[in-house]
Each structure stands twice: as structure tokens, then as C-alpha cells.
Amino acid sequence: METSTTGRTVVITGASGGMGREAAHRYAGLGDRVALLDVDGGVLASVAEALHAEFPDADLLEVVCDVASPESVDAAREAVDAWSDRVDVLVLIAGVVQKAGPITELPIEEWDRTQNINLRGVFLMARAFIPAMPSHAGASIVTIGSWYGRSGHALFSAYCASKAGVINLTQTIAGELAEKGIRANVVCPGNIDTQMHRKALEDEAASRGITFDEMKAIEWAKIPLGIAGPASTIIDAVEFLSSAKASYVTGASIDVNGGVLFH
Ligand SMILES: NC(=O)c1ccc[n+]([C@@H]2O[C@H](COP(=O)([O-])OP(=O)(O)OC[C@H]3O[C@@H](n4cnc5c(N)ncnc54)[C@H](O)[C@@H]3O)[C@@H](O)[C@H]2O)c1
């Protein structure tokens, strides 16, 4: 049975990014204690400062962490251990997009970078933090896949494969943790209006020699619901999956994609 939906200890990776800071804001607003992890310490400090200003009583921990590095992840676990005796919710958001290009021209380093952050990062974080999660107390893990992990897309081999791996790995984690009453689920976003999406539009606009707004109009016209969703739409699903309302949901993949893919 789930216990409380507030006062939990929540660990979030990618907390400097669009979805990550939205998640940190959401959980801090719910009254949870929040550890913010990201490799970008400068932005992380400004995210934490803004949260402190809005929620003066919030118990926040900032940890600069590279999820692709076992040493860095272990150091983050130590920092979290010194701050909290448990982790109730693990939200694994950190990720990168590869440089677009055909397989035959994709540098091996770019393949490895993408896998190491997106997929190995989830493995390393789960491996390090699952032992801190209490059994039969409503704890859960939420990962972020992608509609690009649901099927392959030309020019994005490394990214698609890494996100397909995240979906599959989350199911394995769910299978391994079910007997402890710890759940694991994955949210698969479509196009979400964060820095990641805007940078992709900018790059594609530059390569086509058109403006950002023209590129945005082309891409958004392909989305049945007409816009790239705000980050809050993803965090609504993350919040649900980590709440008592999802107490019987595990191993699930939830599409939040404006209709770009029916799965
Ligand atoms: N924005 C989209 O359209 C979209 C669509 C589908 C899936 N996603 C996925 O959603 C997640 C969040 O994306 P976003 O849109 O918020 O992007 P974002 O670029 O705003 O945020 C990503 C964050 O991850 C951090 N990060 C990168 N490498 C890291 C590392 N090695 N260790 C720790 N942190 C690292 C970055 O510093 C950044 O703060 C990603 O996993 C992304 O692949 C995004």
C-alpha cells in the first residue's frame, strides 16, 4: 500500500533541463524533499535558487552528477545518503539527443556518448539508488523514454536505440522489484517544448536555410494536437506514476505525445 504523497524523498536527474526543473518544481510544491542531480552545475544552482525563493521551507539538495560515470553516480548516492535515510521516488530524466546522421557516417564516439548518458545512465542510477528504496512503502522509479524509442527513425539510430533500451530496461527493473512492492514505469514523450526540442529545430532550420519559426511551423503541423507539449504534460504523467493513484501500475509505458504515434 502507498503511504503518503508528500514528505517523500525524491531524486531527479536532468534537474537543470526543461522537464527536470518542472519535476523539481512539482515535487517541491507537493511538499516532498527533492535532490536535484545534473551534470550542468551552473544551471542547477540557478534552478535551486529559484525553487528556494518560491518554496522557502523546501528541503532541497543539489548534486552535480554525470549519470554516465559510475564514480560520479556513486558520489551522488553518498551525498544523498548523507542527507536522507531513504529514497522514495527516483525520476530519471537526464538525456541527450545525438547529432543527426546516417549510420554509415555516425561517429562511434557519438553512438557511445548517446548510449552512455541515455541508457547506461539509467542502469547506473538504478543500480546505485535501488538499495536506498524501502520495500512495500510506495516507492517507485519513473524513467523517460521517447516516442523515438517506440520505433526507429532515420538519422537517429543511437538516440532511438538508447530510448528503446530505456523502455525495455524499465520493464526489467519493474520485474525485479515487484516482489519488494517497488514499481517502475516509463513515460514516452513526443515533441516537448524544451531547450532540447528548440535546439533540434534551430539545427534543422540552419541546415535547410530557413527561419526557426518556419521550421517550427513545419514540425508542429505534423503533431495531431498541433503543438509541442509543455514540460508540465510529461511531469503530470510522472507525478501520477509516482503517486498512490498508480499503486497497481508497474512495467507500464505511458505515451504523452500529442498523438504523433498510436502504440
Ligand atoms: N524535449 C523533447 O522533445 C523530448 C522528447 C522525447 C524525449 N525526451 C527526453 O526527455 C528527457 C528530458 O529532456 P528535456 O527536453 O528536458 O531536455 P533538456 O536538454 O532541457 O534537459 C536534459 C538535461 O539532462 C542533463 N544531462 C545531460 N547529460 C547528462 C549527464 N551525463 N548527467 C547528468 N545530466 C545530464 C542536461 O544537462 C540537461 O539539464 C531526455 O531524456 C530526453 O531524451 C525529450
Side-chain angles (χ1 to χ4, degrees):
M1 288 292 288
E2 301 274 343
T3 49
S4 167
T5 54
T6 60
R8 301 168 297 185
T9 296
V10 181
V11 173
I12 301 169
T13 69
S16 301
M19 290 182 206
R21 78 181 68 169
E22 183 75 28
H25 183 269
R26 182 72 58 91
Y27 285 107
L30 287 170
D32 291 321
R33 312 174 72 212
V34 185
L36 302 98
L37 278 56
D38 202 286
V39 75
D40 188 334
V43 177
L44 193 64
S46 68
V47 169
E49 194 182 325
L51 286 174
H52 277 302
E54 189 171 346
F55 305 107
D57 297 332
D59 187 358
L60 308 175
L61 178 73
E62 283 164 62
V63 186
V64 177
C65 172
D66 176 358
V67 297
S69 154
E71 295 77 22
S72 186
V73 168
D74 287 347
R77 168 72 204 271
E78 281 174 28
V80 170
D81 277 351
W83 168 74
S84 175
D85 60 2
R86 59 194 275 162
V87 171
D88 299 292
V89 182
L90 187 58
V91 185
L92 303 179
I93 297 178
V96 289
V97 185
Q98 68 169 99
K99 292 188 186 79
I103 286 182
T104 47
E105 292 168 25
L106 186 70
I108 292 169
E109 296 74 23
E110 185 61 358
W111 171 273
D112 288 344
R113 184 183 77 92
T114 308
Q115 303 305 328
N116 286 344
I117 297 171
N118 292 0
L119 182 53
R120 188 189 207 225
V122 171
F123 160 67
L124 290 176
M125 283 296 300
R127 186 173 181 274
F129 281 86
I130 284 169
M133 303 182 80
S135 300
H136 304 293
S140 84
I141 299 171
V142 185
T143 61
I144 302 293
S146 171
W147 69 293
Y148 269 35
R150 291 283 202 195
S151 62
H153 292 253
L155 311 183
F156 287 93
S157 56
Y159 185 73
C160 292
S162 73
K163 290 299 188 177
V166 169
I167 294 167
N168 191 291
L169 177 59
T170 305
Q171 293 166 351
T172 297
I173 292 169
E176 291 187 8
L177 299 186
E179 67 180 7
K180 295 183 172 169
I182 301 173
R183 299 176 297 100
N185 296 287
V186 53
V187 178
C188 294
N191 299 293
I192 301 301
D193 194 8
T194 65
Q195 186 54 32
M196 180 180 280
H197 177 64
R198 289 181 167 261
K199 170 90 172 50
L201 291 179
E202 267 166 31
D203 291 350
E204 188 60 22
S207 79
R208 294 191 193 187
I210 60 176
T211 67
F212 174 84
D213 284 339
E214 286 167 337
M215 193 62 228
K216 184 173 119 175
I218 292 168
E219 285 304 312
W220 288 25
K222 297 178 192 165
I223 303 170
L225 289 184
I227 57 164
S232 59
T233 59
I234 302 305
I235 304 311
D236 286 342
V238 171
E239 181 191 342
F240 163 71
L241 288 169
S242 66
S243 77
K245 289 183 178 160
S247 63
Y248 200 54
V249 182
T250 197
S253 318
I254 296 193
D255 294 319
V256 182
N257 65 22
V260 287
L261 183 74
F262 296 148
H263 203 263

